[in-house]
Amino acid sequence: MIALVSLFFVSLFAPEASAVIGGDLNCTTYNGTAFVWTPSAVACSNTISDASCAILYPTTDTLGFPAAGNAAGRPLACYTTATATPAAVVQDMKTAAAANCPKTCGLCCQTDAYYCPNVAYPRLNCASITLSQCNSPAWRTIIAADCPSACGFCNQAGCVDAVTNCGTDLSICQNIGMQTFVNTYCQRTCGRCPSTTAAGSVTVTSGTCTSYIADSSSNCAAWSTNGFCTNTFYTVAQRRSRCATTCRIC
Ligand SMILES: *[C@@H]1O[C@H](CO)[C@@H](O)[C@H](O)[C@H]1NC(C)=O
Ligand SMILES: *[C@@H]1O[C@H](CO)[C@@H](O)[C@H](O)[C@H]1NC(C)=O
């Protein structure tokens, strides 16, 4: 009863809700004392402007909007038609919020790019992957393979660029001196993933293999650096017979 009375006074005199995530716990994790937002709750962009989202989905929480690791309550309009907590989840409200303002609403983890299973035994803890890891050349390809949901890689079928700016100059895909680099860092943009893992946006090496035959020469790394893989002086068949793996030729 005392709790009820004090709740009443809190809501009467202090419109700002206390920082507790309630109602819909999607995209949260329990940190030992409280439910807090996972990094993937807020890793995406809103579809409409952040400013519009802040008006459509105002927060009454002293902590502000959901952010990775904080316990700010989800703005009510993100998941319910009720105007106070406790509030029942209204699926329509949630669907609209996820479509328009997933970041503001802490619903990124439920959008298509973030909603897929991770592998059973990932090499890293999928729940604690940070945004900087999602952008890190050291981590991106491992995350795409093991924890696609953590970084919004669900629609990439395991094929991502290791660096994030390959697309700014597509000529590097054809540049003879850049082949070793793009084979390692621009797999998606330059179409260097084995084709079971999705085609890149620019297909340079075409084919439909799941793995490459082994190199028959031990010089492939050096030759590749010198442009062997893209040098049209050699036929595709010649390049394939010597360095199929290094040149990523099916
Ligand atoms: C997550 O969202 C789904 C669909 O809206 C809902 O059925 C489920 O209960 C939610 N899970 C949690 C833990 O709140
Ligand atoms: C869990 O999150 C709450 C709210 O952000 C914070 O106050 C608390 O220190 C966190 N606990 C741990 C064990 O990290």
Side-chain angles (χ1 to χ4, degrees):
M1 187 62 196
I2 289 169
L4 268 181
V5 168
S6 55
L7 254 184
F8 175 76
F9 276 98
V10 165
S11 58
L12 192 64
F13 295 116
E16 308 247 296
S18 61
V20 176
I21 304 171
D24 175 13
L25 292 174
N26 278 295
C27 309
T28 70
T29 184
Y30 191 67
N31 77 353
T33 38
F35 283 97
V36 296
W37 300 103
T38 60
S40 73
V42 291
C44 62
S45 299
N46 292 321
T47 313
I48 61 175
S49 75
D50 292 353
S52 302
C53 286
I55 290 170
L56 283 170
Y57 300 102
T59 180
T60 52
D61 198 298
T62 47
L63 289 176
F65 288 101
N70 86 5
R74 197 190 302 273
L76 279 171
C78 293
Y79 69 96
T80 185
T81 49
T83 50
T85 53
V89 175
V90 175
Q91 192 56 46
D92 271 3
M93 294 296 284
K94 209 178 142 179
T95 304
N100 294 311
C101 299
K103 182 184 176 79
T104 297
C105 288
L107 286 171
C108 290
C109 84
Q110 297 218 298
T111 59
D112 282 352
Y114 291 83
Y115 195 69
C116 61
N118 297 315
V119 298
Y121 301 103
R123 283 167 280 181
L124 62 179
N125 180 355
C126 298
S128 61
I129 291 171
T130 62
L131 200 53
S132 69
Q133 283 177 298
C134 293
N135 292 320
S136 158
W139 288 107
R140 285 169 60 83
T141 49
I142 293 172
I143 294 170
D146 288 12
C147 304
S149 77
C151 296
F153 294 155
C154 290
N155 301 326
Q156 316 278 308
C159 179
V160 297
D161 292 332
V163 299
T164 54
N165 57 353
C166 294
T168 56
D169 178 9
L170 292 177
S171 72
I172 60 172
C173 297
Q174 315 282 359
N175 184 320
I176 288 172
M178 296 292 283
Q179 293 311 301
T180 306
F181 178 85
V182 300
N183 286 344
T184 309
Y185 294 110
C186 298
Q187 304 93 311
R188 184 175 183 84
T189 296
C190 296
R192 305 302 159 85
C193 297
S195 59
T196 39
T197 57
S201 52
V202 177
T203 305
V204 172
T205 308
S206 60
T208 50
C209 57
T210 57
S211 60
Y212 306 103
I213 57 170
D215 293 343
S216 64
S217 167
S218 55
N219 296 322
C220 291
W223 290 353
S224 159
T225 308
N226 292 328
F228 175 76
C229 296
T230 51
N231 190 335
T232 49
F233 176 79
Y234 304 99
T235 65
V236 172
Q238 286 171 327
R239 284 179 264 154
R240 180 174 184 271
S241 73
R242 290 173 181 76
C243 303
T245 295
T246 296
C247 296
R248 310 282 207 274
I249 299 172
C250 286

